[in-house]
Amino acid sequence: VSALYLGLVHHPVRGRAGETITTAVTNLDVHDIARSARAYDLAGYFVITPIEAQRVLVERILEHWRDGAGAQRIPERSEALARCATLDGLETARREVERREGRAPLVWVTSARAVQGAPAISYREAAAVQGPALLLFGTGHGLASEVLEEADGVLPPIRPGAAYNHLSVRAAVAITLDRLFGDTIGDSD
Ligand code: SAM
């Protein structure tokens, strides 16, 4: 994929009982996912929430680390957060990628569970795509079913056969990026 953007979705996501909710942004997700996104050279990392107060909060954190006292103190963190931005929804994220890349992105989704109703795409196929893509991760109990079903591609779940495969979103991002772009260590295939 020539320009991959990552979206961390806070709405619409599932709540405990499967209802659609909006989750709160966490500081840890902003920082940790920004580092993974930077390490794998993604084009951008969007923290997506319709709650304006949360976007303002995240922007203030980003400012501190990008331009403020934090940037001087810990430049590596500043570099990681340089490609992070907040957006108010999925449609805005799609349009933002299109504006930057001159072409609408393919939208890919991730889930711990198998998803019916949207085409599957392998890690290898995704990595080989020419063009921009927006890769979405959920918070709460995962992306809302309409987001999963309307996607252009669903990446395979990680550890689908395991008794437990509910990873933190930070771990899921890191594993997914390594499956897409990682160096193979040891084995030559
Ligand atoms: N509150 C949780 C946290 O602290 O991270 C949020 C859980 S949220 C449901 C985790 C997201 O990571 C999922 O929506 C999905 O995008 C991804 N994820 C988690 N486990 C996964 C797996 N086994 N395979 C693929 N993606 C997974």
Side-chain angles (χ1 to χ4, degrees), residues 12-93:
V13 293
R14 289 157 54 93
R16 202 183 298 271
E19 76 281 27
T20 295
I21 61 164
T22 302
T23 55
V25 175
T26 75
N27 197 31
L28 206 59
D29 287 345
V30 174
H31 286 281
D32 289 5
I33 292 175
R35 289 178 188 216
S36 295
R38 182 66 189 90
Y40 288 88
D41 205 21
L42 300 199
Y45 165 36
F46 299 144
V47 176
I48 299 170
T49 174
I51 304 175
E52 192 186 353
Q54 300 248 306
R55 294 198 305 277
V56 169
L57 190 74
V58 174
E59 289 295 340
R60 205 176 300 150
I61 295 168
L62 294 178
E63 228 167 81
H64 170 79
W65 288 108
R66 283 197 300 227
D67 317 309
Q72 261 126 54
R73 206 159 58 78
I74 311 182
E76 296 81 9
R77 189 170 293 188
S78 171
E79 188 181 344
L81 291 173
R83 297 180 197 183
C84 181
T86 61
L87 293 174
D88 65 4
L90 283 173
E91 193 41 47
T92 310

Side-chain angles (χ1 to χ4, degrees), residues 29 110-113 123 136-143 156-159 165-170 172-173 176:
D29 287 345
T110 55
S111 171
R113 279 177 282 210
Y123 296 101
L136 302 178
F137 289 85
T139 56
H141 286 255
L143 295 165
I158 299 159
R159 304 281 295 154
N165 77 336
H166 300 283
L167 298 165
S168 76
V169 67
R170 297 168 300 284
V173 167
T176 301

